[in-house]
Amino acid sequence: VEPQPSTTKKTNQKKILIAVIASVVAIAAIVGILFAVGILGNKNDDSGLANTPESIVKVFLKSASQNNAEKAIDCCPSFIWGNDETRKEIYLSGIQSFIDSYPNLSFQILSTKDLSNSKKQTWESWLQWEQLRVGGFVAADITEFKTVEAKLTYTKNNKTETENITFTVIKFKNEWKILDFE
């Protein structure tokens, strides 16, 4: 009698292969979902930081240190200028002036705080006015207000100087944006 080839071994190998493929697909799906809901990845910061008030300020200042006003303006909410390209150019010009004022810029984030109630109310009033005037956004989509203080170090006239700047940042549709700085 001739021995019959074993089909049990092939069946077990197929089951293991199917289980491995199913596991890889499941893991890829979970990672994809985590990116989609924002737990992994980031919309604001190309350095891998989470979507935080600090990260948007870092992206803005990094862009400024690289003399890139176009990238820096992406850190601001576009509803400020709406569809008005002239108004956008004014903001770009302001950012370029900021960049020109701080040559050889480096920076350090010092603190993040909630915006005071009085300043928050002032900003909310202004935003409601802008909503009526410019349109294209809903002030109620702004869910948080924070301030981020940063220490800037720069070289001007062969002299190293430092200055602290406070950024007002908002969370607009779950994305942090810079509203103002002083």
Side-chain angles (χ1 to χ4, degrees):
V1 177
E2 284 185 32
Q4 295 290 323
S6 173
T7 58
T8 309
K9 188 174 183 181
K10 287 183 181 180
T11 304
N12 285 342
Q13 286 176 342
K14 283 183 181 178
K15 286 180 182 178
I16 291 171
L17 182 61
I18 290 171
V20 168
I21 291 172
S23 297
V24 169
V25 169
I27 290 170
I30 291 169
V31 169
I33 290 168
L34 292 175
F35 270 104
V37 298
I39 293 172
L40 293 178
N42 180 18
K43 296 178 186 173
N44 287 338
D45 190 357
D46 59 2
S47 68
L49 296 174
N51 180 22
T52 64
E54 298 84 1
S55 68
I56 195 65
V57 171
K58 286 179 181 179
V59 170
F60 179 87
L61 292 172
K62 182 178 177 186
S63 301
S65 71
Q66 296 169 345
N67 196 25
N68 190 341
E70 287 288 338
K71 186 169 181 182
I73 201 169
D74 289 342
C75 298
C76 304
S78 61
F79 64 72
I80 291 174
W81 52 84
N83 294 326
D84 187 344
E85 287 301 313
T86 304
R87 198 163 181 210
K88 182 178 181 180
E89 288 301 318
I90 292 169
Y91 277 89
L92 269 172
S93 176
I95 289 172
Q96 189 61 54
S97 293
F98 173 87
I99 290 170
D100 295 342
S101 297
Y102 298 100
N104 304 309
L105 177 67
S106 62
F107 60 90
Q108 175 186 2
I109 302 298
L110 300 176
S111 66
T112 302
K113 299 177 184 170
D114 289 331
L115 192 64
S116 71
N117 283 335
S118 62
K119 286 186 178 184
K120 182 179 175 184
Q121 289 172 348
T122 301
W123 277 114
E124 286 174 333
S125 297
W126 180 82
L127 288 163
Q128 288 171 354
W129 168 250
E130 285 295 293
Q131 176 183 327
L132 293 172
R133 192 178 72 75
V134 178
F137 78 101
V138 178
D141 287 337
I142 299 167
T143 56
E144 291 183 62
F145 291 81
K146 300 273 186 188
T147 60
V148 177
E149 187 176 3
K151 178 181 178 181
L152 307 184
T153 304
Y154 55 99
T155 304
K156 204 174 207 177
N157 300 324
N158 293 324
K159 183 180 175 188
T160 301
E161 299 183 33
T162 62
E163 183 176 336
N164 288 1
I165 292 189
T166 301
F167 292 83
T168 301
V169 295
I170 57 172
K171 193 168 195 178
F172 177 67
K173 294 185 177 180
N174 292 325
E175 208 173 318
W176 287 99
K177 295 290 185 178
I178 295 172
L179 191 57
D180 191 27
F181 52 87
E182 54 184 300

